[in-house]
Amino acid sequence: MNQAENQPVLATEQVNAVEAEILRLARELPELGQAAVATRLQRAGLQISASGVRYIWQKYGLETAVKRLQALAAENAGCLESLTLNQRRYLERGLLSTRLAQGELAEDEPANLPESELEPLDRQRIILNAAAELFSTQGFDRTTIRDIASQAGLLPGSVYHYFSSKEELYMAVHQEGFRSVMLQMRLATHEVSDPWERLKRAFTVHINGMVGGSAIDRLTGHSLALTGHPRLLDMIRADRDAYEDVIKALIAQLPLKPAVNRTLLRLQLLGAMNWVYVWYHEGKLSPEQISEQMIDMLRLGVEGQAQA
């Protein structure tokens, strides 16, 4: 019996789960190498080797960090602003190195950026994602810097090099999350003229972030409904207020009856949308369907014609 025959065969469901997690990490943490991804999955009880991770990456054309970054940008209509500054620099230099190797550079283009000199991808992003995952699952109070460092595969001192305290890290996660969701809203609404459609698309982004986005998106979305922890609320109040200003501007454009209180309308909509993460079940209504139906019920009413 050869070595392959001695290896246990994963059930189809487990293979699918492993593949799904590899693709999720490729989207959320494109900077992680195959060994780091394999280690994370093994900690979560999913058995996969580094070479197995690479096999899945190759299956989807994601075997290099540059390709994973390109795919991440493509998910946001090719907008590089969806990447961090360090990720954009890495992507630009990686593409330049590829063109250099293939002899595609014009004579007047710089050609002094060998791949060995590429900057490492953003370590802060790894820390932010690790913190977001733990804040979401364990809560702020039960999560320590040591926990975050372990989740990120770093020493605690490496975390303190970037963030002086857990509170600063918590705020940084939310700043990144709100930056991301507001960017996605601009991308989703910038070519739409109908104000109701703009609002639907904005809230689709809002709901998708809470139930299907990255760990940072989910934590940010859940924190929009945060009411019972005054200290945490104070830490992110400025970011929440800036986000609500975006929603306020969208509601200001709606053609409403003069008597409608737009502030109450905004609070009613935000309250309904923020509560989705409590009852949402994947496989039923999509974020787009939830947003559309909620806003249509509000706009068009729900009262039906009485039966005779």
Side-chain angles (χ1 to χ4, degrees), residues 20 101 185:
M185 281 186 174

Side-chain angles (χ1 to χ4, degrees), residues 174 178 220 222-227 232-233 236-245 274:
H174 282 82
F178 281 113
T220 303
H222 295 179
S223 294
L224 287 168
L226 180 66
T227 57
L232 297 184
L233 183 58
I236 63 171
R237 188 179 301 278
D239 296 308
R240 276 181 45 147
D241 289 347
Y243 175 78
E244 290 196 17
D245 285 343
N274 289 344

Side-chain angles (χ1 to χ4, degrees), residues 267-304:
L267 295 174
Q268 180 181 359
L269 274 172
L270 281 171
M273 300 294 177
N274 289 344
W275 206 244
V276 169
Y277 83 93
V278 175
W279 52 259
Y280 178 80
H281 292 285
E282 189 173 0
K284 294 186 177 181
L285 293 176
S286 68
E288 183 177 8
Q289 291 172 321
I290 293 170
S291 173
E292 181 173 8
Q293 291 194 31
M294 279 189 169
I295 291 176
D296 280 350
M297 283 190 290
L298 182 69
R299 177 188 180 188
L300 305 174
V302 295
E303 184 177 11

